[in-house]
Amino acid sequence: MAKKKMEKPTVIEETAFDVKQFLNIKEIEYRTKSQKFAVKNINEHLITFLVGPAGCAKTFLGVYTALKLLKEDKKVERIIIARPAVTTEEELGFLPGDLHEKLLPFMLPVYDQFVKLIGVEDFKILKEKNIIESVSFAHMRGRNFYNCVVILDEMQNATPQQMKLVLTRLGSNCKAIVTMDPSQCDLPDKVFSASDPEELERFEGIEKIKIFDFSDDDIVRSEIVKLVVKAYDG
């Protein structure tokens, strides 16, 4: 009786994940001329500072442009997010969990913008595949970022040393988007902020670096936010 020929096990090859085909980004309409020019400047410069009051959509525009570059620019492979872990004068005590869980409360305002543009499920997939990565300043020394867009959010709460640290991590084919509202710095009074005028002045006039200023008139979050900001600014 002839022996039954052993069948070879079926090997299922995993298809490489193509993020550019996968991404489906909601299109937006610019609500002010400044928003359109801000995105233009991000595309034209290696480092762009978006400086202005609350409600100007600084973070939203940064996330939107980063996603568009991830989809359309052949050299861009990842998005890196960093945000100072500084609270607004309210100590919450020890935060449980691993590094990502500890960072989550600080990163949520940025994550919310990704969800608006690509949906929660697609955002989770990109996070799981490490195409979107959140990093802390405490563990950034020695890192090198290549072929990516780096979003640095709420950098008025960073020190000049932290700003230098992250900007010196930028490698080839890398672009940085820095958002800050100097009027809402939560650092202690004795700590110098990366958003202080003399700190920003060091970047003025440098090719490929742009400081883009929003004004109170660019606030689009709501009419009440515009009134509140003007009340505080005088």
Side-chain angles (χ1 to χ4, degrees):
M1 184 175 177
K3 291 183 179 180
K4 188 177 181 180
K5 189 176 180 181
M6 295 288 291
E7 294 182 1
K8 293 182 179 180
T10 303
V11 178
I12 301 175
E13 296 184 1
E14 184 178 351
T15 304
F17 182 75
D18 187 344
V19 65
K20 299 188 185 303
Q21 290 294 323
F22 171 82
L23 264 181
N24 183 24
I25 309 165
K26 291 181 181 177
E27 289 301 324
I28 66 170
E29 291 185 10
Y30 299 114
R31 296 176 62 182
T32 69
K33 289 183 179 179
S34 291
Q35 289 185 351
K36 183 176 182 179
F37 287 135
V39 170
K40 183 176 184 291
N41 275 284
I42 293 171
N43 287 320
E44 293 177 351
H45 296 85
L46 297 180
I47 301 174
T48 305
F49 294 85
L50 302 181
V51 184
C56 293
K58 300 183 294 296
T59 303
F60 179 81
L61 293 172
V63 169
Y64 172 74
T65 313
L67 284 169
K68 294 290 282 187
L69 288 167
L70 179 61
K71 183 173 180 66
E72 298 171 2
D73 190 323
K74 294 180 180 180
K75 295 180 180 179
V76 175
E77 300 170 352
R78 302 176 66 213
I79 297 174
I80 307 294
I81 310 166
R83 198 171 188 267
V86 177
T87 59
T88 56
E89 300 180 3
E90 183 179 16
E91 293 299 329
L92 299 178
F94 176 77
L95 293 174
D98 60 19
L99 177 61
H100 295 291
E101 291 170 324
K102 292 179 189 294
L103 284 175
L104 181 59
F106 301 100
M107 295 296 179
L108 275 176
V110 186
Y111 292 172
D112 288 345
Q113 309 311 312
F114 279 99
V115 171
K116 284 181 184 178
L117 289 162
I118 60 176
V120 64
E121 293 303 322
D122 286 1
F123 174 65
K124 285 181 179 178
I125 290 171
L126 295 183
K127 283 282 290 175
E128 289 169 0
K129 293 184 175 294
N130 217 33
I131 292 171
I132 296 176
E133 180 189 359
S134 303
V135 298
S136 70
F137 288 96
H139 302 89
M140 200 177 295
R141 185 75 66 191
R143 291 290 305 270
N144 297 287
F145 303 134
Y146 297 97
N147 305 320
C148 65
V149 181
V150 180
I151 299 174
L152 307 174
D153 194 49
E154 298 286 355
M155 287 297 282
Q156 75 276 2
N157 285 330
T159 65
Q161 291 77 15
Q162 288 173 320
M163 179 72 84
K164 181 180 179 181
L165 168 64
V166 67
L167 293 183
T168 54
R169 302 303 94 205
L170 304 180
S172 57
N173 304 320
C174 199
K175 186 186 291 284
I177 305 167
V178 185
T179 75
M180 55 174 62
D181 177 359
S183 71
Q184 296 203 61
C185 179
D186 301 307
L187 292 172
D189 291 339
K190 63 182 179 180
V191 179
F192 203 49
S193 169
S195 67
D196 285 315
E198 49 265 58
E199 279 300 314
L200 288 176
E201 284 174 3
R202 71 170 72 247
F203 298 107
E204 290 182 352
I206 300 178
E207 189 178 4
K208 296 297 182 181
I209 298 179
K210 176 67 175 178
I211 300 173
F212 188 89
D213 292 303
F214 290 93
S215 71
D216 292 356
D217 292 333
D218 296 310
I219 296 172
V220 295
R221 182 171 297 155
S222 67
E223 185 63 27
I224 191 62
V225 170
K226 184 179 292 189
L227 294 173
V228 169
V229 169
K230 288 186 176 180
Y232 274 97
D233 289 350

